Amino acid sequence: MLTILDKYILRRYLVTFIGMLLLFVPIGIMANLAEKVGKIIDNEAPLSEVIIFYGNFTLVIGNLLLPIFLFLSIIFFTSKLASNTEIIAILSSGVSYSRFLRPYLIGATLVAILIFMMGMFIVPHASIGYNEFEYKYFKRGRQDRVTDNIFNQLNEDDYIYVSSFDPNRKIGYNFTYEHFDSIKQLEYKISATNIRWIEKDSIYRLTNYVKRKLKNDVEQIETKRRLDTLFTFKIEDLTPVSYVAETKNLFELNDFIEDQQRKGASNINTYILVKYKRWALPIAAFILTIIAVAVSSVKRRGGMGLNLAFGIGVAFIYIFFDKVFGTLAEQSGFSPLLAVIIPNLIFGVFGVYMLMKAKR
């Protein structure tokens, strides 16, 4: 049952948070548009695509920054409460500091649920259009995937390899397909100068097809100038885009990671890191809420300005730690789980310390 105090603080909490979003999200869009407008004009991007891109941009970037917006909004309105001596009056009336925290934690729970639902199910869909537009108009010429020396293990018995892959033409060169039997001996091997996906017929076309099959220590060779056939793998399996994990919802991402682990993908840490970060963002909402309340609930000589300056500094340090450990996980084999836990653990301990200090 919410009391008048709970409703008062919770209303201020949510109104300030929504106001912060309505203020800074348009600023972020305008800043990005000012930076990219030259490329948009030079590449003749259609207006409809630009509008859709900035809709996706709002969801993708906004979701990442929701905990930061939450943090700054709490500092803003709680500092105002402290400067008006409202917090002193609340605590003097017999309300404990822990009880004072309750509406903040309720608000953090609501925002954490929002972050979770967006990060797991809404943002992945938006990320498809966001990244496709980025590589089409802003990163033209840059590769969005590995295209050379691609090796994939399809399952326990089948392996494929291409020396290079053209994702635009959906063609791979120097294709090899190897199948092993139950005792891990090569049963047959297919090779071709190239493999092309024929989308209208939903088939693969092999050029200079050669199949070598071993049977009773006898090698049987079958050759064809061209062969149209079917395979169990998708053409995207040859080399998924670098941002593929960002485009999958919770269930799809779990299945994708399991599939990539089975294949022995070299960049598996990147995919796992995306998964853990989605779980970490809602937790960050609680950690940053505790820090924000502890910092801003005490009346200071510098007032709201000092609290906001401190809050912005903490936010930048948090983002810095998150980026550093994320890069370590992607490029040096550092555990993705630790890369997510360590920044939150550091700031969680800091939050508890600041909370104990504020209580005194």
Side-chain angles (χ1 to χ4, degrees):
M1 184 75 179
L2 295 177
T3 64
I4 295 175
L5 174 63
D6 292 331
K7 292 178 182 178
Y8 175 69
I9 293 178
L10 191 56
R11 183 171 63 250
R12 296 285 295 272
Y13 184 115
L14 296 177
V15 168
T16 308
F17 175 63
I18 294 171
M20 192 76 70
L21 289 178
L22 294 176
L23 175 64
F24 283 103
V25 168
I27 291 175
I29 292 174
M30 294 307 297
N32 185 271
L33 181 60
E35 179 188 354
K36 302 292 180 62
V37 67
K39 290 184 178 180
I40 291 174
I41 294 172
D42 291 343
N43 294 319
E44 299 180 350
L47 179 60
S48 59
E49 289 189 31
V50 174
I51 293 173
I52 293 172
F53 167 75
Y54 278 104
N56 293 327
F57 172 87
T58 300
L59 292 172
V60 173
I61 303 301
N63 183 65
L64 291 175
L65 296 178
L66 277 179
I68 304 301
F69 289 147
L70 172 68
F71 181 63
L72 295 177
S73 63
I74 293 172
I75 289 179
F76 180 80
F77 87 84
T78 306
S79 295
K80 209 167 184 181
L81 293 178
S83 65
N84 294 334
T85 66
E86 292 180 69
I87 295 178
I88 294 175
I90 291 170
L91 298 178
S92 299
S93 66
V95 175
S96 67
Y97 199 89
S98 298
R99 177 64 184 81
F100 169 69
L101 273 176
R102 192 174 84 166
Y104 288 94
L105 295 178
I106 293 173
T109 300
L110 295 176
V111 174
I113 293 172
L114 173 65
I115 293 173
F116 177 83
M117 295 304 296
M118 286 187 63
M120 294 298 187
F121 301 104
I122 299 174
V123 173
H125 179 72
S127 183
I128 298 173
Y130 171 78
N131 282 289
E132 286 179 350
F133 190 94
E134 280 270 325
Y135 279 94
K136 184 177 180 180
Y137 296 109
F138 299 155
K139 299 179 180 179
R140 181 172 288 187
R142 297 188 192 178
Q143 293 183 350
D144 61 353
R145 65 188 85 201
V146 177
T147 57
D148 296 318
N149 295 320
I150 300 161
F151 173 83
N152 261 318
Q153 180 180 349
L154 302 177
N155 51 54
E156 293 183 358
D157 303 320
D158 299 300
Y159 301 81
I160 58 174
Y161 169 83
V162 291
S163 63
S164 62
F165 177 68
D166 185 341
N168 295 321
R169 299 171 60 198
K170 295 186 178 179
I171 182 171
Y173 297 93
N174 298 320
F175 170 74
T176 299
Y177 183 106
E178 295 180 344
H179 175 76
F180 293 81
D181 58 23
S182 57
I183 58 174
K184 299 303 178 184
Q185 289 186 344
L186 182 64
E187 187 172 334
Y188 64 83
K189 177 179 180 180
I190 296 173
S191 58
T193 54
N194 62 63
I195 177 173
R196 182 191 297 270
W197 171 247
I198 309 299
E199 191 165 1
K200 66 176 182 177
D201 299 322
S202 298
I203 60 170
Y204 289 96
R205 177 165 294 163
L206 303 178
T207 304
N208 295 327
Y209 162 86
V210 177
K211 181 177 181 179
R212 289 181 168 85
K213 187 174 182 180
L214 295 174
K215 189 174 182 180
N216 299 324
D217 295 328
V218 177
E219 183 180 40
Q220 300 175 350
I221 300 178
E222 177 187 351
T223 62
K224 288 186 179 181
R225 181 73 183 85
R226 192 181 79 179
L227 176 69
D228 292 342
T229 187
L230 298 172
F231 286 112
T232 56
F233 63 87
K234 298 178 182 179
I235 194 70
E236 289 80 9
D237 289 340
L238 290 176
T239 172
V241 292
S242 57
Y243 53 83
V244 62
E246 300 170 18
T247 66
K248 297 186 179 297
N249 64 37
L250 172 62
F251 307 111
E252 292 171 342
L253 183 57
N254 287 334
D255 293 339
F256 175 74
I257 289 174
E258 184 179 342
D259 182 58
Q260 293 298 306
Q261 285 176 326
R262 177 176 52 77
K263 292 178 180 179
S266 59
N267 53 346
I268 189 66
N269 274 3
T270 301
Y271 306 143
I272 296 175
L273 184 65
V274 170
K275 174 184 174 180
Y276 287 150
K277 279 190 173 184
R278 289 187 187 177
W279 288 100
L281 276 176
I283 297 172
F286 289 97
I287 295 173
L288 293 176
T289 293
I290 291 172
I291 295 175
V293 175
V295 168
S296 56
S297 61
V298 179
K299 191 172 182 180
R300 289 182 171 83
R301 185 172 298 176
M304 187 188 302
L306 181 62
N307 287 338
L308 282 174
F310 180 82
I312 292 172
V314 170
F316 274 110
I317 294 172
Y318 178 82
I319 294 172
F320 173 76
F321 271 72
D322 181 67
K323 289 294 183 183
V324 167
F325 284 100
T327 302
L328 283 175
E330 290 178 348
Q331 300 183 4
S332 67
F334 190 74
S335 168
L337 181 59
L338 288 178
V340 171
I341 288 177
I342 290 176
N344 285 303
L345 182 61
I346 292 172
F347 281 85
V349 172
F350 176 70
V352 171
Y353 167 76
M354 293 299 294
L355 194 61
M356 294 299 103
K357 188 176 179 182
K359 282 184 178 181
R360 292 198 296 268

